[in-house]
Amino acid sequence: MPRTAIYPGTFDPVTCGHRDVCERGLKMFDHMVVAVADNPQKQPFFSLQERIDMLNLVFGDEPRISVKPFSGMLIKFAQECGSHIVVRGLRAISDFEFEVQLAGMNRSLDPNIETVFMTAAEKYKFVSSSLVREIARLDGDVSEFIHPEIHRRLVSKLKSQKS
């Protein structure tokens, strides 16, 4: 039976760090579902559909990766996908405490859910979507942290907001 893992996040926008975690996850799992959170409380910069489109662009050549939106509880989404594995990326020790709390709560709600933590590759240790957006907003160069087409879309959206 194929082992499917869920990789949840807002991906606002998807970064090279996200891509790295997902591709490395394929070394352990047969299929990765990139679960794009629809959480209006976070007030994302890109719409849900824009984030899905960008993820499909980044992962479009890999048939073992699928992109799906979700809202509500992650464990219910994982169950719908037939998975009991959640992959989470850790950049710094500060991520760990929060992620352990989430993993513990998910496991208490569904004892079959397991969380696998993957540390970020060294070159992506300090890359986050929010930092990428902020640097780009200040006209900094973020091209090494995101796919070229994602960079184009980010710059274009920032310019349209300034107009």
Side-chain angles (χ1 to χ4, degrees):
M1 175 176 248
R3 294 184 64 106
T4 298
I6 307 297
Y7 180 34
T10 52
F11 307 101
D12 189 31
V14 58
T15 68
C16 293
H18 293 129
R19 183 178 182 147
D20 176 66
V21 167
C22 197
E23 288 174 345
R24 288 172 39 224
L26 287 174
K27 294 177 182 177
M28 295 180 276
F29 307 107
D30 302 309
H31 186 249
M32 297 284 289
V33 176
V34 179
V36 187
D38 184 15
N39 183 351
Q41 292 177 338
K42 282 200 169 192
Q43 298 177 335
F45 181 71
F46 288 101
S47 71
L48 177 63
Q49 190 58 54
E50 287 172 317
R51 290 179 282 141
I52 290 168
D53 292 346
M54 288 187 288
L55 284 156
N56 279 322
L57 178 106
V58 169
F59 295 119
D61 293 339
E62 177 50 74
R64 298 174 298 157
I65 297 173
S66 58
V67 177
K68 296 182 181 180
F70 85 99
S71 60
M73 291 184 56
L74 176 63
I75 59 171
K76 288 184 180 179
F77 178 76
Q79 291 164 349
E80 290 168 11
C81 292
S83 177
H84 63 276
I85 303 161
V86 175
V87 171
R88 297 296 292 173
L90 299 174
R91 293 175 304 236
I93 196 72
S94 57
D95 290 342
F96 186 72
E97 186 175 350
F98 176 72
E99 293 295 343
V100 167
Q101 285 179 319
L102 281 179
M105 182 56 74
N106 285 338
R107 195 170 36 258
S108 71
L109 294 170
D110 181 348
N112 295 316
I113 294 289
E114 293 293 341
T115 301
V116 174
F117 297 112
M118 296 182 68
T119 57
E122 190 65 33
K123 62 184 174 181
Y124 304 124
K125 223 168 203 130
F126 300 101
V127 176
S128 71
S129 294
S130 57
L131 277 176
V132 164
R133 286 192 317 271
E134 185 61 21
I135 292 166
R137 186 174 284 120
L138 297 170
D139 296 321
D141 181 12
V142 294
S143 59
E144 70 180 279
F145 307 122
I146 54 179
H147 183 282
E149 177 59 20
I150 305 310
H151 183 258
R152 188 196 66 72
R153 292 179 189 197
L154 175 61
V155 169
S156 174
K157 187 158 185 155
L158 286 167
K159 281 182 183 175
S160 72
Q161 287 186 339
K162 288 180 182 179
S163 302

